[in-house]
């Protein structure tokens, strides 16, 4: 395998992983606030449609991303009202949100069959992108790839280094104690859900803006579920979401390349590899007893003001 | 964002209007008319831009051709598992006169429901079980693949063709073999790289496969999956590709060399017409270029005139029955002889094809 | 101002009130959309909800659709009570269908009363084996069962695909990815003359009753519940968390596997690449709609099954796009889940007192 091919593979891995990074971080911020939202797939697909519609009308990338984030946040708001205000069961509500989101996106997206948006231009970082092999692999991407890495770092910083992050974690770990300290548990969770929805929306939009600039119903093809699994894999830590997404993306891309190189194994066995690799990696990490691998203590529990 | 808001409202309004116009004939009193009612069962959404989309175009063509004399209904995204039988029965109960089931996986449910409703005509696409009131139909897409192979073999500079495949069913294997034999006949050095993505429809994964093939040296892509993702990637990377099921030029104006188009309209019009006339009878149709069921999109600007001429010649020869894409001598991948010189493949072997021909690398996931 | 006030006492009819309100809201919303589309709401609703059920055939098919949802829903309601998050029932269903179907194919042509029990047992064991992987990893390595069971779902679907494309395909089937049709001795008996309603539904009802009994009476139910609510206290009281994880996942695997083989032997009659339209995931919704009461899973499963049938009828007789029926379904679930607040609270006008 020559160096150019390796560079191209790394480039493809980053592109394939980026939607998972955004969606995974979107799930993570909600879960750190104690909210389990299984509706990520639905949030992604409405983001994918909204971003695409705006891009198709010739608007700049930034506006498409804002639209995707807005659509994701708006759909997430339905979830927030149901779960936080009406105390609906979050697991079932999340699944219903997925159904609803897929339906809404399909309904309004049907008219875009056959439309192609112009692809997003890469932003090659000066100097760095001139490094042989790695330059093209790592530093000649569209802005959203850099954005996803930046978002992971910012989220890490927010959660661990800021007062806001401390409050958010407190709400997720022990909502009664957080309430007793005077924090608005419901308010924090509303914010986290909407922010998370926005991130998942951008994750979906990455598909329709960069990876395959078109919209077809159901095109998220289960990525929302993988994103949810990655949060568990990452033990609820932002930088590990990045790592998990790249691991999953690597195995996906490498199995495709191994086929093109002529490996003689039934394709379905190869297609299982990303899922198996994730399980194996999780088992190894968990078996080593790496500290802090447990979920936020209040995850998925309904908060009621004691009365 | 204001513009976007108004657009959304306009869009919603358009949608409501569209749905209304669709409903006019659907809400007409049932059973009261002597109109022939044709039902369609789709495996995907009508907006998939590929397989199901083309079947739905065929349905619309039936409406256009017969106007008031027919009424059509459809159910989309019917899973090929346990749900198919129920949807079929409901459709028959609802007074359908003829029902088209448009995916292989609907075969046994169609057989069963056809037994229960002897007065309803059934038409199953791509299957092989028939009855007095159950006909089968399919297209010889491999004829189109032959022409694609000829073009690809002559136009590749790297001698590497990338092929994105879905599942190792005979139809897909047949397409690979037909394209390979044709490409090989005009370019002995040609090589096929094949990636099986284990899905019919996942634009992201299809795009990843397309990139992998290009990065490994392919300069022309073929696909047997449903989304135009590979076409988009080809356009972005400045190489060529062939579309699948529909004309995909919108996704790759420079990249598309041509596209195999599934044109179900002539068949659907003929068969619904036969029900109207009372001349319908069960049959097995496997139509190719000659029936218009397989068509090619206009050749791309990049196709040189001599290649175009050769492709057209092949298309016409196949259409007139002078050329068969599987003509011997052809050996199987393991070197054992399959077709002797001048011998052409029989339909039975083609229908169940589960082997690669000699020269293709890699092994078939389900092959022996 | 409208506000919620906690009920002093929750009575059984409050549950029914919540469901009635949710159904009313759904009917009102759907009717409003029908009016916008220029349809007559009353007759349209009748066409999609009442008419599909107004025949023996309709009832029979309704039951057939609800059966796997109820069977899996019961198992999940027990597991979720114990805090064991088996998200991968779909994979266990697929493997159960595969192994049960493989047993049936291995016994092809053999008749006798023992064939069907062996086939069903094959499905149950297959599901249990698949569920024991997340159980083992959870107990031995503390690896999250959410991730492992979910990932194994994708693996299961691909495994079924390999098998029906290769070893298990019909020898006379022109190499298409389908097994041959199962012989009669391996098919589940029907309950009605019309439609596919089969004895699997009786199993479902039995499991719902059994599940309720486990929850209410049995020591196991209690220990599982404590273990789910307060793992530390449970361990202190001598209940082993490991046992709970094993039991919850094995029940889930066994019943999901059974649901899979029931689909294959009852509804489909052969192995195909898609044996489940996501029953394993839909059953999660069913379990929570029933608020994890095994008996309530029965009406919840029937309701969700009806929503699918109504969606098909809407496409068929009203010409409504499939996507819109999905939106209706989402709305129905939102209303059902949101209206549950009326069980514990009542609506009051005015400020807090």
């Amino acid at each position: 395998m020559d160096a150019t091919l390796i560079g191209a593979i790394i480039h493809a891995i980053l592109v394939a992983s980026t939607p998972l990074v955004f969606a995974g971080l979107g799930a993570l911020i909600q879960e750190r606030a104690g909210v389990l939202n299984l509706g990520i797939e639905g949030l992604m697909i409405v983001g994918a449609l909204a971003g695409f519609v705006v891009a198709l009308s010739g608007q700049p990338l930034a506006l498409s991303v804002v639209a995707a984030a807005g659509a994701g946040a708006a759909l997430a708001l339905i979830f927030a009202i149901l779960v936080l205000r009406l105390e609906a069961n979050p697991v079932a509500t999340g699944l219903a949100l997925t159904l609803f989101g897929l339906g809404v996106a399909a309904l309004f997206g049907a008219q875009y069959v056959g439309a192609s948006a112009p692809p997003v231009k890469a932003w090659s970082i000066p100097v760095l992108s001139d490094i042989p092999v790695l330059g093209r692999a790592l530093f000649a991407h569209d802005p959203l790839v850099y954005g996803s890495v930046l978002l992971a770092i910012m989220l890490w910083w927010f959660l661990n280094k800021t007062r806001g992050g401390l409050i958010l974690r407190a709400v997720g770990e022990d909502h009664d104690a957080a309430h007793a300290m005077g924090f608005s548990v419901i308010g924090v969770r509303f914010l986290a859900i909407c922010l998370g929805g926005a991130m998942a929306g951008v994750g979906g939009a990455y598909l329709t803006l960069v990876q395959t600039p078109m919209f077809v119903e159901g095109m998220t093809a289960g990525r929302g579920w993988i994103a949810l699994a990655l949060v568990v894999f990452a033990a609820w830590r932002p930088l590990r979401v990045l790592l998990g997404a790249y691991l999953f993306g690597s195995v996906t891309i490498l199995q495709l390349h191994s086929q093109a190189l002529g490996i003689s194994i039934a394709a379905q066995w190869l297609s299982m590899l990303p899922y198996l690799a994730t399980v194996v990696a999780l088992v190894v990490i968990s078996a080593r007893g790496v500290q802090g691998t447990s979920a936020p203590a209040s995850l998925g529990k309904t908060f009621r003001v004691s009365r | 964002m204001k513009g976007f808001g108004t657009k959304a409202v306009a869009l919603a309004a358009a949608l409501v209007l569209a749905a209304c116009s669709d409903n006019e004939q659907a809400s007409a009193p049932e059973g009261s008319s002597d109109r022939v009612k044709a039902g369609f069962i789709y495996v995907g959404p009508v907006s998939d831009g590929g397989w199901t989309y083309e079947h739905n175009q065929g349905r619309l063509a039936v409406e256009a051709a017969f106007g008031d004399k027919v009424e059509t209904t459809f159910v989309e995204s019917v899973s090929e598992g346990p749900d198919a039988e129920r949807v079929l029965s409901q459709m028959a109960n609802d007074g359908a006169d003829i029902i088209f089931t448009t995916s292989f996986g609907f075969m046994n449910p169609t057989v069963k429901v056809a037994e229960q409703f002897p007065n309803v005509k059934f038409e199953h696409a791509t299957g092989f079980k028939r009855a007095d009131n159950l006909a089968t139909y399919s297209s010889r897409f491999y004829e189109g693949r032959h022409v694609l192979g000829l073009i690809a073999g002559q136009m590749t500079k790297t001698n590497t063709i990338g092929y994105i495949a879905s599942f190792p069913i005979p139809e897909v294997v047949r397409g690979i073999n037909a394209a390979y034999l044709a490409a090989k006949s005009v370019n002995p050095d040609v090589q096929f790289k094949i990636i099986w993505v284990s899905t019919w429809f996942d634009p992201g994964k299809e795009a990843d496969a397309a990139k992998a093939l290009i990065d490994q040296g392919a300069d022309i892509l073929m696909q047997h999956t449903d989304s135009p993702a590979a076409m988009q990637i080809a356009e972005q990377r400045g190489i060529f590709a062939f579309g699948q099921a529909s004309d995909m030029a919108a996704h790759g104006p420079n990249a598309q060399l041509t596209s195999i188009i599934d044109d179900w309209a002539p068949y659907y019009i003929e068969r619904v017409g036969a029900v109207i006339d009372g001349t319908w009878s069960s049959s097995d149709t496997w139509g190719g270029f000659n029936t218009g069921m397989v068509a090619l999109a206009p050749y791309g600007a990049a196709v040189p005139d001599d290649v175009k001429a050769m492709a057209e010649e092949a298309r016409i020869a196949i259409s007139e029955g002078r050329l068969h894409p599987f003509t011997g001598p052809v050996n199987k991948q393991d070197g054992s002889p399959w077709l002797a010189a001048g011998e052409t493949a029989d339909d039975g072997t083609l229908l169940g094809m589960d082997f690669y021909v000699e020269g293709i690398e890699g092994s078939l996931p389900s092959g022996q | 101002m409208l506000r919620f006030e906690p009920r002093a006492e929750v009575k059984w009819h409050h549950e029914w009130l919540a469901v009635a309100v949710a159904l009313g809201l759904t009917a009102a919303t759907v009717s409003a959309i029908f009016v916008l589309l220029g349809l007559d709401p009353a007759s349209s609703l009748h066409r999609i909800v009442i008419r599909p059920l107004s025949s023996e055939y309709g009832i029979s098919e309704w039951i057939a659709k609800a059966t796997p949802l109820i069977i899996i829903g019961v198992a999940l309601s027990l597991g979720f009570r114990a805090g064991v998050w088996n998200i991968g029932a779909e994979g266990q269903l697929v493997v159960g269908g595969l192994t049960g179907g493989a047993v049936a194919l291995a016994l092809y042509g053999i008749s006798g009363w023992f064939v069907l029990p062996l086939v069903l047992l094959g499905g149950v064991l297959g599901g249990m084996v698949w569920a024991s992987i997340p159980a083992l990893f959870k107990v031995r390595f503390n690896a999250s069962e959410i991730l492992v069971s979910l990932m194994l779902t994708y693996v299961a679907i691909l495994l079924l695909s390999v098998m029906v494309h290769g070893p298990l395909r019909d020898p006379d089937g022109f190499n298409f990815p389908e097994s041959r049709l199962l012989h009669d001795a391996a098919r589940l008996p029907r309950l009605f003359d019309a439609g596919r309603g089969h004895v699997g539904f009786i199993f479902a009802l039995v499991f719902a009753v059994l599940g309720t009994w486990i929850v209410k009476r049995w020591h196991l139910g209690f220990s599982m519940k404590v273990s789910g609510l307060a793992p530390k206290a449970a361990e202190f009281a001598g209940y082993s968390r490991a046992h709970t994880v094993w039991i919850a996942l094995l029940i889930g695997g066994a019943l999901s596997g059974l649901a899979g083989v029931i689909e294959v032997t009852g509804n489909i009659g052969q192995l195909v690449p898609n044996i489940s339209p996501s029953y394993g995931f839909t059953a999660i919704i069913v379990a929570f709609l029933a608020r994890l009461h095994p008996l309530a899973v029965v009406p919840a499963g029937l309701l969700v099954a009806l929503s699918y049938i109504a969606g098909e009828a809407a496409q068929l007789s009203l010409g409504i796009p499939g996507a819109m029926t999905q939106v209706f379904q989402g709305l129905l679930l939102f209303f059902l889940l949101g209206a549950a607040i009326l069980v514990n609270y009542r609506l009051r006008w005015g400020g807090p007192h």
Side-chain angles (χ1 to χ4, degrees), chain C residues 39 57 73 196 226 251 270 325 329:
Chain C
L39 296 167
Y57 173 84
R196 290 174 296 167
V226 173
I251 291 179
Q270 65 182 143
T325 70
Q329 229 176 355

Side-chain angles (χ1 to χ4, degrees), chain A residues 5 8 15-16 107-108 111-116 119 211-214 216-217 221 223 253 256-257 259-261 264 267 271, chain B residues 4 11 15 45 47 49 193-196 198 201-205 207-209 211-212 215-216 228-229 232-233 236 250-251 363:
Chain A
L5 181 56
V15 170
L107 197 59
F108 289 97
Q111 58 185 315
Y112 296 103
V113 181
S116 229
Q211 212 172 0
T212 53
M214 59 175 157
V216 196
E217 84 171 80
R223 283 175 181 75
I253 298 296
L256 295 175
H257 273 277
Q259 285 195 52
L261 286 171
S264 303
S271 298
Chain B
F4 177 60
L11 194 156
L15 209 99
S47 59
K193 282 186 184 291
I194 302 161
I195 292 183
W196 297 87
S198 302
F201 180 83
D202 179 345
K205 198 168 179 188
D208 288 341
K211 284 183 207 160
D215 291 337
Q216 292 209 19
Q232 282 190 331
I233 299 295
Q236 287 171 23
H251 295 283
S363 72

Side-chain angles (χ1 to χ4, degrees), chain C:
Chain C
M1 208 186 88
L2 207 58
R3 67 191 174 80
F4 292 108
E5 184 183 285
R7 291 191 196 278
E9 193 185 359
V10 177
K11 295 221 179 75
W12 64 269
H13 64 261
H14 296 140
E15 309 249 359
W16 290 104
L17 170 74
V19 173
V21 167
L23 294 180
L25 285 172
T26 311
T29 314
V30 171
S31 300
I33 295 174
F34 281 164
V35 170
L36 276 178
L37 295 177
L39 296 167
D40 172 39
S43 79
S44 300
L45 275 176
H46 180 268
R47 270 200 204 182
I48 66 172
V49 182
I50 309 294
R51 213 180 59 181
L53 300 185
S54 53
S55 66
E56 185 186 351
Y57 173 84
I59 301 282
S60 174
E61 282 290 327
W62 181 27
I63 282 171
K65 178 88 188 170
T67 299
L69 295 175
I70 296 172
I71 293 180
I72 303 174
V74 168
L76 292 183
S77 66
L78 293 176
F80 291 160
R81 276 169 178 261
V84 178
W85 295 100
N86 179 7
I87 302 293
E90 177 77 2
Q92 294 143 28
L93 178 156
V94 167
V95 171
L98 171 62
T99 53
V103 170
L105 291 169
L107 298 176
Y108 188 78
I110 298 174
S111 55
W113 61 268
F114 58 91
V115 172
L116 189 59
L118 279 179
V119 169
L120 296 180
L121 189 68
V124 169
L125 289 179
M128 286 172 89
V129 166
W130 210 245
S132 70
I133 302 171
L136 178 73
F137 287 177
K138 174 76 179 185
V139 169
R140 282 291 301 272
F141 306 116
N142 196 31
S144 161
E145 74 278 15
I146 298 179
L147 183 145
V148 177
S149 65
L150 180 63
M151 290 296 165
L152 286 179
T153 297
Y154 297 101
V155 176
I157 292 167
L158 288 162
L159 188 67
L160 175 65
S161 171
V162 173
M163 290 301 153
V164 293
H165 277 91
L168 295 181
R169 70 188 171 189
D170 183 354
D172 304 319
F174 293 98
N175 299 315
F176 279 98
E178 289 191 347
S179 77
R180 57 170 127 210
L181 292 170
L182 303 183
H183 63 306
D184 287 346
R187 300 294 306 268
L188 273 187
R190 295 278 158 91
L191 286 177
F192 302 90
D193 292 333
R196 290 174 296 167
H198 50 69
V199 294
F201 186 67
I202 309 288
F203 296 173
L205 296 180
V206 170
F207 289 131
V209 173
L210 218 60
T212 313
W213 180 71
I214 288 178
V215 168
K216 288 252 160 76
R217 308 268 148 160
W218 205 21
H219 180 70
L220 173 72
F222 181 68
S223 69
M224 280 175 78
K225 188 174 174 192
V226 173
S227 177
L229 290 178
K232 290 234 169 68
E235 234 146 88
F236 188 69
Y239 305 132
S240 155
R241 180 70 188 154
H243 276 168
T244 305
V245 169
W246 271 110
I247 291 170
L249 274 162
L250 287 181
I251 291 179
L255 292 195
S256 304
L258 182 68
V261 70
I262 278 178
E263 277 304 289
V264 170
T265 58
N267 281 344
I268 309 175
Q270 65 182 143
L271 278 178
V272 294
N274 295 315
I275 59 173
S276 161
S278 293
Y279 285 133
F281 291 109
T282 311
I284 299 175
I285 302 183
V286 170
F288 280 108
L289 280 182
R291 261 165 303 128
L292 306 186
H293 288 293
L295 212 52
V297 165
V298 177
L302 284 169
L303 184 62
V304 170
L306 178 58
S307 76
Y308 281 96
I309 291 174
E312 291 159 8
Q315 290 189 58
L316 203 59
S317 58
L318 303 177
I320 284 176
M324 196 177 284
T325 70
Q326 229 175 342
V327 172
F328 288 165
Q329 229 176 355
L331 285 175
L332 167 70
L333 294 172
F334 285 159
F335 287 134
L336 281 169
L337 294 162
I341 193 168
L342 296 174
V343 176
N344 293 314
Y345 296 82
R346 55 184 182 168
L347 270 179
R348 271 293 172 89
W349 284 101
H353 49 105

